[in-house]
C-alpha cells in the first residue's frame, strides 16, 4: 500500500484518544452547530464520560474526569490530541469497537456486503487505485439500545465506489452512522441510502475531495412515519480543483416524523472549477411532520458553481385529481405519487447493484 | 343516461360560474358544446368530475339514475364517466402504461370483476395504441410527461379507449392537433362510440364536427346553455359567431 493509505490508517484515533477527545468536547448540545436539530437529551451519557461529567463545563475538561475511578485510569494525558469533533464519530472507537480493516487492491472489482453490529462498530476500507467497489451495508437483526457505527473509507485515484443501504425499517432506539471519506484524484463515490427507521437516528458524513476531479454523489431518501426523528449532517470539503459534489435528499414524512438536513460545502483556496449542488425536497403527508434544512456554503474561491435548493410541499393536488378521476382510489393514487417521488431520487444513478437494490425496495 | 338538472357551481371566492345548467344526454348521442372563452365549459366538465376547486350550489347530475355528485371522484369514473380536461396534467415518474393498468383494474375491482392479466392487458393496450396510431415511445413515458399538446390529447383518447366509459366529456380535444392527428383522434372516438354510449364534445371548430357528427349542438354562455339545436347550429356559429344569440 502507498504511504498515503498507511498514513490514513495510522491517523485513525485510538480508543484513548477518542475518550480524551470526547471528554474535551462533552456531550452533544443543541447549541453545538453539529447537533442543532437533534434531540440530544435522548443520548445516554457513556460511562467513560464520568458520572458528573454532563454537569461539568466542557471548557474545562480537566476538571471532570478526576472525580471517578474510570477517569483515574484514563491514559488521556499520554494520548496525543486529535481534532475530530463529532461525538458520533468518536463514540464507537471510544467504546472499543475493534476496527475491521479491509484493503482492496488496485484495479480490483469487488462487490461486498457488510453486516453491521448494531452496537458499536468500526470499519476501515482502503480502496486501491482504479478499483471498482460496490458496498452494501446491511443491518444485523440483533439490536441494542444504542448503535454507533463508524466507517473510514479511503478511495484511491480513479477508483469507482458505491456505498448504499436500503435496510428494512429498524426500530433501534438510537442509531448513529458516521462516514469519513477521503477521495483521491478522479475517484468517484456514490453514496445512496433509504431510511425507514422508526426511532431516532443520525447519519453524519465528512467527505474530503482531496484530488483533482474527485466526485461525490449523495442521494438519500427518508420515508418516515410515527415518531421517527432522523437527522443528516454532511460536510463536504472541496480541497482540489474541478471536484464535484451533488447532494439530493428527499423526504416523505407522515405522522409526527421529523427530519433535519444540515449540509455544509467548503471550497478551499486554489480550487478552480468546483461544482457543487444541494437539493432537499420534502413532502409532508401530515400536519405534524416537519423538516429543518440548513445549508452552509463556505467558499474561498471565485470560479465555483454552487447551488442549493429546498422545497417543502404536499402531494400535487392536480396530479392527485387526475389519477383519482381515472378511477384509482385515493390511497392507491397517493402511493403512486409517493413512489414516483421516491424513485426519482435514484433514477439518475448508473445501472448498478445499488440502483437495482434501491429501486426494488421502493 | 346523463341527466344534468339546474346545476349551479361556484369557485372558492364565491363567484358563481355555472348558473343552472340543464342537459339530457341519451345513449348513442353526441352533444357538442360551444361558446366563447370563459363561459364555463371547462368548469362544467370539472364539476361533473368532482374537482375540489368547485363548490356545487345546487342541482343534480345523474348517470343512469345515480347521483354522481354524491360519489367519490374515483367512483364517478368507475361508474362509467370519463372526463378529459382541456389541459391534461403531467405526472412524470408515473409510467403511462402502469397508470392505465392501475386505472383499468380499479374499475374492474369496483365492478366486482377480477384483475386483467398482464397478457390480456398488453393485448388490449396494443390494439388501442394501433387504433390511435401511437408509437411505442408512449409506453416508456410518464403520464403526459413532456408531451406536446397534441400528444397529450391522443394519450387521453387512449385512456378513453381502454377504460371504455359510458359517457365521455372531452374538453377541446381537438385543440393542438394537426390535420392528421385530428383525423386519427376523431376516428378513434368514433370507433369507441356505440349506440349504448354517449359523448359530449367541447369544441370551437366545425372541423372536429365534420368527423364526429353531433346529434345536438349547445351554446354555453355566462354559465348557462342559451341555445340548443342540430348540427346546422355549429355551422351557423362558425359563420356568424355568438353575438346574434339573444340571452334569455
Ligand atoms: N378554479 C378557478 N379559479 C378561478 N376562476 C376560475 C376557476 N375555474 C374557472 N374560473 C373562471 O370561470 C370562468 C369560466 O372558465 P372556464 O370554465 O374555464 O371557461 P371555458 O372553458 O368556457 O373557456 C372564467 O372566468 C374563469 O376564469
Ligand atoms: Mg375551457
Amino acid at each position: 500500500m502507498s504511504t498515503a493509505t498507511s498514513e490514513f490508517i495510522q491517523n485513525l484515533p485510538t480508543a484513548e484518544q477518542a475518550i480524551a477527545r470526547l471528554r474535551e468536547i462533552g456531550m452533544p448540545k443543541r447549541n453545538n452547530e453539529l447537533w442543532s436539530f437533534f434531540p440530544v437529551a435522548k443520548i445516554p451519557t457513556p460511562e467513560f464520560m464520568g458520572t458528573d461529567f454532563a454537569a461539568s463545563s466542557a471548557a474545562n475538561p480537566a476538571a471532570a474526569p478526576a472525580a471517578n475511578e474510570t477517569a483515574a485510569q484514563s491514559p488521556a494525558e499520554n494520548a496525543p490530541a486529535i481534532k475530530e469533533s463529532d461525538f458520533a464519530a468518536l463514540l464507537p472507537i471510544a467504546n472499543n469497537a475493534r476496527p475491521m480493516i479491509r484493503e482492496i487492491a488496485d484495479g480490483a472489482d469487488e462487490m461486498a456486503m457488510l453486516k453491521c453490529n448494531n452496537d458499536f462498530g468500526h470499519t476501515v476500507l482502503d480502496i486501491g487505485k482504479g478499483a471498482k467497489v460496490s458496498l452494501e451495508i446491511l443491518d444485523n437483526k440483533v439490536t441494542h439500545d444504542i448503535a454507533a457505527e463508524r466507517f473510514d473509507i479511503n478511495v484511491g485515484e480513479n477508483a469507482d465506489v458505491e456505498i448504499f443501504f436500503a435496510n428494512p425499517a429498524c426500530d433501534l432506539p438510537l442509531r448513529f452512522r458516521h462516514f469519513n471519506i477521503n477521495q483521491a484524484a478522479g475517484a468517484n463515490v456514490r453514496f445512496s441510502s433509504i431510511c425507514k427507521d422508526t426511532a431516532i437516528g443520525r447519519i453524519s458524513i465528512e467527505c474530503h475531495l482531496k484530488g483533482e476531479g474527485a466526485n461525490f454523489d449523495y442521494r438519500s431518501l427518508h420515508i418516515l412515519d410515527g415518531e421517527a426523528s432522523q437527522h443528516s449532517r454532511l460536510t463536504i470539503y472541496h480541497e482540489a480543483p474541478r471536484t464535484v459534489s451533488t447532494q439530493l435528499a428527499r423526504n416523505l414524512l407522515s405522522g409526527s416524523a421529523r427530519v433535519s438536513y444540515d449540509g455544509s460545502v467548503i471550497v478551499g483556496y486554489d480550487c478552480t472549477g468546483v461544482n457543487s449542488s444541494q437539493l432537499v425536497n420534502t413532502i409532508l403527508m401530515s400536519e405534524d411532520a416537519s423538516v429543518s434544512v440548513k445549508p452552509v456554503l463556505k467558499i474561498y474561491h471565485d470560479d465555483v458553481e454552487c447551488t442549493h435548493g429546498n422545497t417543502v410541499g404536499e402531494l400535487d393536488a392536480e396530479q392527485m385529481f387526475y389519477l383519482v378521476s381515472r378511477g384509482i382510489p385515493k390511497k392507491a393514487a397517493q402511493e403512486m405519487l409517493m413512489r414516483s417521488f421516491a424513485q426519482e431520487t435514484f433514477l439518475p444513478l448508473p445501472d448498478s447493484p445499488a440502483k437495482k437494490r434501491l429501486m426494488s425496495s421502493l | 343516461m346523463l341527466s344534468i338538472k339546474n346545476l349551479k357551481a361556484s369557485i372558492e371566492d364565491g363567484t358563481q360560474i355555472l348558473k343552472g345548467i340543464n342537459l339530457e344526454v341519451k345513449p348513442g348521442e353526441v352533444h357538442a358544446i360551444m361558446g366563447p372563452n370563459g363561459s364555463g365549459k371547462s368548469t362544467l366538465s370539472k364539476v361533473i368530475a368532482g374537482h375540489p376547486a368547485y363548490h356545487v350550489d345546487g342541482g343534480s347530475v345523474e348517470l343512469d339514475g345515480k347521483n354522481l355528485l354524491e360519489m367519490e371522484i374515483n367512483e364517478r369514473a368507475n361508474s362509467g364517466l370519463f372526463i378529459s380536461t382541456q389541459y391534461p396534467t403531467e405526472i412524470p415518474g408515473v409510467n403511462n402504461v402502469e397508470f392505465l393498468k392501475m386505472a383499468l383494474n380499479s374499475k374492474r375491482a369496483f365492478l366486482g370483476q377480477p384483475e386483467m392479466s398482464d397478457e390480456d392487458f398488453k393485448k388490449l393496450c396494443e390494439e388501442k395504441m394501433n387504433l390511435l396510431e401511437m408509437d411505442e415511445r408512449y409506453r416508456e413515458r410518464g403520464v403526459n410527461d413532456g408531451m406536446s399538446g397534441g400528444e397529450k390529447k391522443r394519450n387521453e383518447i387512449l385512456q378513453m379507449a381502454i377504460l371504455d366509459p359510458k359517457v365521455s366529456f372531452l374538453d377541446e380535444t381537438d385543440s393542438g392537433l394537426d390535420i392528421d392527428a385530428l383525423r386519427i383522434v376523431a376516428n378513434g372516438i368514433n370507433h369507441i362510440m356505440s349506440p349504448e354510449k354517449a359523448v359530449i364534445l367541447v369544441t370551437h371548430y366545425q372541423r372536429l364536427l365534420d368527423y364526429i357528427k353531433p346529434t345536438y349542438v349547445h351554446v354555453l354562455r355566462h354559465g348557462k346553455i342559451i341555445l340548443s339545436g342540430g348540427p346546422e347550429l355549429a355551422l351557423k356559429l362558425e359563420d356568424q359567431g355568438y353575438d346574434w344569440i339573444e340571452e334569455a
Side-chain angles (χ1 to χ4, degrees), chain B residues 1-5 22-25 60-65:
Chain B
M1 60 196 314
L2 185 76
S3 171
I4 304 174
K5 291 207 176 88
N22 290 292
L23 189 64
E24 284 294 329
V25 180
S60 66
V61 181
E62 288 186 357
L63 178 62
D64 290 337

Side-chain angles (χ1 to χ4, degrees), chain B residues 11 17 35-44 53-54 86 171-172 204:
Chain B
I11 52 177
I17 311 289
N37 292 328
S39 22
K41 304 181 297 294
S42 296
T43 302
L44 176 61
Y54 304 95
Q86 191 171 351
D171 192 357
E172 296 199 24
H204 289 297

Side-chain angles (χ1 to χ4, degrees), chain B residues 178-192:
Chain B
D178 63 43
I179 296 164
D180 286 334
L182 178 71
R183 176 180 46 79
I184 294 162
V185 164
N187 285 342
I189 296 169
N190 282 331
H191 196 270
I192 303 161

Side-chain angles (χ1 to χ4, degrees), chain A residues 51-316:
Chain A
T51 40
D52 52 4
F53 178 84
S56 79
S57 155
N60 185 13
N68 66 41
E69 279 188 329
T70 353
Q73 295 160 358
S74 162
E77 283 101 287
N78 359 344
I82 50 167
K83 279 189 284 183
E84 188 131 37
S85 56
D86 194 319
F87 178 86
L90 293 161
L91 192 60
I93 296 180
N95 273 294
N96 266 316
R98 274 202 273 124
M100 199 218 44
I101 299 177
R102 190 118 174 246
E103 296 182 19
I104 293 171
D106 292 353
D109 186 345
E110 287 209 29
M111 263 179 70
M113 288 193 190
L114 199 72
K115 221 172 208 149
C116 280
N117 297 321
N118 283 2
D119 56 358
F120 299 105
H122 185 196
T123 304
V124 180
L125 284 179
D126 206 345
I127 298 169
K129 290 179 190 166
K132 203 167 169 289
V133 177
S134 172
L135 175 74
E136 175 169 14
I137 300 171
L138 298 168
D139 274 344
N140 195 328
K141 290 222 172 61
V142 186
T143 58
H144 302 260
D145 292 343
I146 177 171
E149 299 147 276
R150 172 182 171 127
F151 302 80
D152 286 279
I153 302 172
N154 190 41
V155 184
E157 275 174 30
N158 298 317
D160 186 83
V161 178
E162 59 180 21
I163 304 163
F164 62 102
F165 46 95
N167 301 325
C170 164
D171 60 356
L172 259 172
L174 182 61
R175 160 147 80 184
F176 296 134
R177 271 187 177 161
H178 180 85
F179 294 82
N180 181 26
I181 302 171
N182 279 349
Q183 294 181 229
N188 285 320
V189 172
R190 290 179 300 281
F191 184 107
S192 318
S193 65
I194 296 175
C195 171
K196 297 178 182 173
D197 290 3
T198 54
I200 302 171
R202 178 176 181 266
I203 289 177
S204 46
I205 298 179
E206 268 201 27
C207 177
H208 295 266
L209 299 168
K210 289 179 177 291
E212 179 158 356
N215 186 319
F216 179 66
D217 178 281
Y218 172 88
R219 292 166 195 281
S220 74
L221 173 68
H222 283 83
I223 303 177
L224 305 180
D225 200 348
E227 302 279 303
S229 171
Q230 297 291 330
H231 306 268
S232 307
R233 155 97 207 162
L234 270 80
T235 314
I236 300 172
Y237 299 89
H238 287 263
E239 296 169 9
R242 281 165 287 282
T243 45
V244 177
S245 67
T246 310
Q247 302 167 61
L248 174 64
R250 287 199 148 184
N251 307 306
L252 264 170
L253 308 179
S254 312
S256 49
R258 177 161 169 65
V259 149
S260 75
Y261 190 89
D262 190 343
S264 305
V265 174
I266 295 146
V267 182
Y269 301 102
D270 303 328
C271 297
T272 50
V274 162
N275 193 310
S276 142
S277 71
Q278 182 194 90
L279 182 60
V280 183
N281 302 130
T282 305
I283 289 184
L284 299 176
M285 302 291 295
S286 69
E287 287 284 310
D288 292 333
S290 67
V291 62
S292 316
V293 178
K294 187 172 92 181
V296 176
L297 291 173
K298 290 180 190 158
I299 301 170
Y300 303 99
H301 199 284
D302 288 341
D303 174 26
V304 162
E305 205 169 303
C306 285
T307 59
H308 70 88
N310 175 26
T311 66
V312 183
E314 296 164 10
L315 290 180
D316 186 285

